[in-house]
Amino acid sequence: MQVEWIYGLVGGVLIGSAAALMLLGNGRIMGASGIVGGLIDGTTTDRGATLAFIAGLIGMPALMSLGGWQVDTQASSAPLLLIAGGLAVGIGTRFANGCTSGHGVCGMSRLSVRGFAATLAYIGAGALTVTAMRIGLGL
C-alpha cells in the first residue's frame, strides 16, 4: 500500500498551523518570500524571528535527513537548472508581492481577493508550463 500522500497531508497541516500561529502570535502573515526577502533587503522589523524562521526552513530537513528520512522530491540534479529555477521563483514572488505560502495559504484563508487571484495565476502558469514541457519537449 502506497502512503506517500501522507507527506503532503502532514506538510500541509504543519504549514497551515505555522501560518495560524504566526498570525495569531505576532500579527504577521507567514509568507516565506517576504520573510526571507525582508532579511536580504533590510526591511525586516524582527531579525530574530526572521533568522529563526530561516533556520527552521533549513534545519528541519537537515535533521530529518540525518535521522534517515528520505523523500523523493523529483528535483533536478543539474545545478544550473536549480539556480535558474530559484531565480525565476524569487523574481516571480517579488512581482506578485508574495509566494505560495503568502497568497495561497494565508491570503486565501483570509478570503483575500488578491490571494485568490495570485494563487489562480501561479497554479495556472504551472499547469501550462508542465503541459508545454510535456508536449513541446516530450518530457
Side-chain angles (χ1 to χ4, degrees), residues 7-135:
Y7 296 127
L9 176 64
V10 171
V13 168
L14 289 172
I15 290 170
S17 298
L21 283 172
M22 189 162 186
L23 185 60
L24 293 172
N26 68 5
R28 292 182 57 201
I29 295 189
M30 187 196 78
S33 65
I35 292 170
V36 174
L39 185 65
I40 292 170
D41 67 15
T43 59
T44 188
T45 57
D46 188 354
R47 285 180 75 83
T50 300
L51 291 172
F53 182 83
I54 294 170
L57 284 177
I58 296 168
M60 193 60 194
L63 285 174
M64 290 180 70
S65 69
L66 290 174
W69 286 74
Q70 295 296 320
V71 178
D72 187 8
T73 63
Q74 301 295 317
S76 172
S77 60
L80 290 177
L81 187 60
L82 290 173
I83 291 168
L87 288 172
V89 168
I91 292 167
T93 59
R94 281 302 197 187
F95 280 132
N97 244 357
C99 61
T100 55
S101 59
H103 287 301
V105 176
C106 299
M108 290 178 59
S109 66
R110 293 180 309 116
L111 303 177
S112 164
V113 173
R114 189 169 94 175
F116 278 98
T119 302
L120 286 172
Y122 62 70
I123 295 293
L128 287 173
T129 300
V130 168
T131 301
M133 295 293 275
R134 286 192 175 170
I135 292 172

